[in-house]
Amino acid sequence: MTQHPEERRLSGDEVLRVEHMTMRFGGLIAINDLSFSAKRGEITALIGPNGAGKTTVFNCVTGFYKPTMGRILMRRSNGEEFNLERMSDFEINRDAKVSRTFQNIRLFTGLTVLENLLVAQHNALMKSSGFTVLGLLGWRPYKDAAKEAIEKARYWLEMINLVHRADDPAGDLPYGEQRRLEIARAMCTGPEFLCLDEPAAGLNPRESLELNTLLRSIREKHDVSLLLIEHDMSVVMQISDHVVVLEYGAKISDGTPKHVQNDPRVIAAYLGVEDDEVDEVLEEIEEVAEEVSHEHEAGQPTGDAR
Amino acid sequence: MEYFIQQTINGVTLGSVYGMIAIGYTMVYGIIGMINFSHGDVFMLGTFAALIMFLILTSLVAGMGVAAMLLVMMATAIVMSSLWSWVIERIAYRPLRGSFRLAPLITAIGMSIVLSNFIQVTQGPRNKPIPPMVTKVYDVYGVTISLKQILIVLITIVMMTAFWYVVTKTSLGRAQRATEQDRKMAALLGIDVDRTISITFVMGASLAGVAGAMYLMYYGVATFSDGFIPGVKAFTAAVLGGIGSLPGALLGGLLIGLIESLWSAYFSIDYKDVATFSILAIVLIFKPSGLLGRPEIEKV
Amino acid sequence: MTAAAQPPRIPSDDRLKWALREALFAGLISFGMFVLYVGLETTQNIRNQLVLNQRWGLLAILVAIAVVGRFLIVYFIGPWFAARKAAKAAKTEVPTQSLLRRNIGWIALLALLVFPMAMVWLVGPQKSLKWVDNYGVQILIYVMLAWGLNIVVGLAGLLDLGYVAFYAVGAYSYALLSLYFGLSFWTLLPLAGILAAFWGIILGFPVLRLRGDYLAVVTLAFGEIIRLVLINWTDVTQGTFGVSGVPKASIFGIWSFEVGADNNFAKAFGLRQSSAYYKIFLFYVILAMCAVTAVVTIRLRNMPIGRAWEALREDEIACRSLGINTVTTKLTAFSIGAMFGGFAGAFFAARQGFISPESFTFHESAIILAVVVLGGMGSLFGIAVAAIVMIGGTELLREMHFLKTIFGPDFTPELYRMLIFGLAMVIVMVLKPRGLVSVRNPTAFLHERKAVSSAFTKEGHG
Ligand SMILES: Nc1ncnc2c1ncn2[C@@H]1O[C@H](COP(=O)(O)OP(=O)(O)OP(=O)(O)O)[C@@H](O)[C@H]1O
Ligand SMILES: [Mg+2]
């Protein structure tokens, strides 16, 4: 799946490019000829009304669904490129270093918080245990690797403020903490590209703020690019560098948060107005848009990392 | 050619019996997602109910018509299978509803052991042969069709039609489908879920009872261990046809019956069950949801 | 019929009325259930015709038991149970494990090590046979099988209903290879395990893609196929006649237990000939095999592969999102489980000296699975206890000759063995759906090891 240098198709600052992707479920076209790209080191947000196809985009990118048509290219920091649509889900995580969370949290509820983070380091640990054989015989380097894995887990638990719950079953955590744990678990696989499906859903304002800090530090300290689905506009506006807007499976807007926010098509989509009525209500909408953007600027925390 | 038609007819007869048992598996699986392992033994209880009723009728009521006798035997088998199935559901499955998924499977296996051993203990381990009831045989262009085969196919058609009507056209059927889709929501909408599930068990069991009576009439013998093999075959049929699908169960039953009789006829009778199970495995590997089952897409 | 139907806190005479009504209802139902099967018995007369025997007395007794039993359950046991449950719910903490509990493995091992000697000392070599062989060895075989299946079902959450196939592969591998090629037990034991694991991979590869109950069906089908092949491939397996004269295991080739051999154990030590020595030897062999199984399972659980199995049981999709190759992970669980089944099979053949397809029916798979689930999936200790209770318990029934004095000389307790086994399965499961030991021990900890209550663990989809 590695491409020769002359076949390289992504420019250096691109990390992911989706080209003409279409996904059909029987008669339903969930994604229709979608193209966009995400830049290295940026937080790209994918927004759109319910049922627009955002999660489906994630599932295609991470290999859980195979797109009916189109290409998905991913470029790692070492220059290796991957055709994600040809790879199976676990290879996408293992080789292309794309990691994800789920809209409906999927933790291993019966395992402890710590174990959840250890499972995420499976491939690394498998190697150091000599694919179980050496580890079974008590091989020294494996023991060290196992300790290191626990330290890595501890690091991420500190990042998400959950060290004190390390030995409790993951199913016992409150919702907000489960969401954070899922992000930490995804990070423990050592990704270069992280896809988060509605990480702020169901969080209270304080938790939501903590999440922003977490995501920023993930991007800055760990050299990870993010793709983010989010309904909470304040989160989107505050932390994303680039926003892609979907409606009925098609892209209707693409640009900076500011640009998208003022795009009449976006506003129309969110207010549920038909395309041909856009002009009629444009004026009205602009007023609303203004208000919204003011609100958000006022709502931004001080010490914004950008 | 005659040989082939002959074997096909035998296969269809056998397949009808499997199909009727398979309905019980498929309905229960559809509604509570559980493999009801004791269903084959409920079928066996049906054969024994019919057997005992046959003996009662022959010893008490002299000179009763065969048709009337068959009807009474069938009715007895239906009543006994349904009653037992209802009780089993109440004591062994219902308390485990919503708990650990393997728990009801284990109680079902336990119940299957209980039922076959119960009959072994109370009725003895020997084969129980009865004199043939229906002996008439027709010869159609060199192919022999016995009246009992015709009866079995006819009864299957009648039962299936009645069943299909109940499941698709009545409010009971609607309640069943609603419970199947979303048990909690169905309960919120005022459907008595427990009762619906009970009725599902009883419906499946009554078909198994009919199948039991016909099995006795066809083969003229009953044994306590008769639940297992037909049970497994019928279950195989249900899965082959696509578990949860009623036409699928019948189709699966017919296919299994045909495979069995044609394989015995043309290849080797010893390996007929191997053929059945192999075909099941192959179908599932290439079409995991069975022939008529809806494919499941994992929603992520 | 469920105690749950009881409305909370009803005045006691209402409750009495209610209990009486329930009892009456139970009587009616049980009358209906039993009237044909118990009230009448089909027997053959001298002319080999089926006739009916009447047993109304027995029917009355059963109905009376149902009535009284139901009354007791509703009026006394139900409320007591509810009260106990409430009391239990009040103290939610998982109890900290006492010294005894923590070292139970060592204590059990010690007890097992002295068990055969103690039996010989207590009842003499000849009488000890029954205890060492029928109880000791047989239970340990089931423990080993159940521990092997536990890797597949309990840890990886894959429902395997055809486990006995691998047991059969192991048994026939040993029996045939030792008979045809004269290889010894100690060469064939590992080989039998490897062959079984190999079959595990061959069978597992196509089917492990299947989800949930389909896997159960296909494994059941494979189990049956292997049994049917054993029955019908008469040139090699001698079909239903079985393979007899399977060589005994030797003490690492140094001493033999074959009666005629020069290096016969009893001869070498100048002891009286007795089959007890062989059985005692077998006891230690299977004990060692169980110990190996336990150690390997515990170690594997603490390794990435074992953790991946448990994660797989919890959520397969999440596993894949973490880069875990679920097919190979399942396959390792399946084949390692199969391997232990193969070991146990080889041992079984050496112990019996005779094997036939009869020993490898679906029934056997069901019993092993029942032991795993009743013990509490994933818990080695619970499974061992379940094996002792279920296998030892039904074995005990053979002993209950005093029942003959109660029920008359015609009464054969053996006949009721499986009936009671089945009933016990149902009752234990209804009372303890998560098995005897339902807490999970985490494989790693940061501060302290806390057991995970079964309320959180999932049981797998496959
Ligand atoms: N496995 C599937 N099978 C059939 N249809 C599907 C499947 N997955 C998604 N869809 C359909 O595709 C469309 C897009 O769904 P998707 O989950 O991607 O929306 P979304 O943008 O994530 O919405 P939300 O904001 O509610 O999460 C919906 O109409 C959905 O029903
Ligand atoms: Mg979504």
Side-chain angles (χ1 to χ4, degrees), chain A residues 23-26 28-31 47-59 65 103 197-198 229 231 246 249, chain B residues 297-300:
Chain A
M23 178 79 214
R24 287 206 191 91
F25 297 109
L28 177 85
I29 302 177
I31 310 282
I47 65 171
N50 287 106
K54 306 178 295 292
T55 302
T56 307
V57 171
F58 263 40
N59 286 335
Y65 295 163
Q103 186 168 356
D197 200 341
E198 305 201 9
I229 295 179
H231 276 300
L246 285 187
Chain B
I297 305 180
E298 285 177 301
K299 274 214 176 186
V300 180

Side-chain angles (χ1 to χ4, degrees), chain A residues 89 110 115 123 136 167-168, chain C residues 299 314 320 323 443 447 450:
Chain A
D89 40 22
E115 285 176 310
N123 286 321
L136 205 56
D167 300 320
D168 293 325
Chain C
R299 286 220 155 179
E314 300 272 325
R320 295 209 301 257
T443 60
H447 314 295
K450 290 187 229 169

Side-chain angles (χ1 to χ4, degrees), chain A residues 114-158:
Chain A
L114 179 69
E115 285 176 310
N116 266 273
L117 299 185
L118 291 179
V119 172
Q121 303 176 50
H122 177 80
N123 286 321
L125 283 173
M126 273 307 263
K127 259 194 213 113
S128 57
S129 71
F131 296 92
T132 309
V133 181
L134 295 176
L136 205 56
L137 304 171
W139 201 44
R140 195 72 246 156
Y142 167 67
K143 286 189 176 163
D144 297 339
K147 276 205 196 87
E148 248 167 62
I150 291 186
E151 283 316 306
K152 185 170 181 182
R154 186 202 293 277
Y155 169 80
W156 280 105
L157 287 176
E158 276 162 7

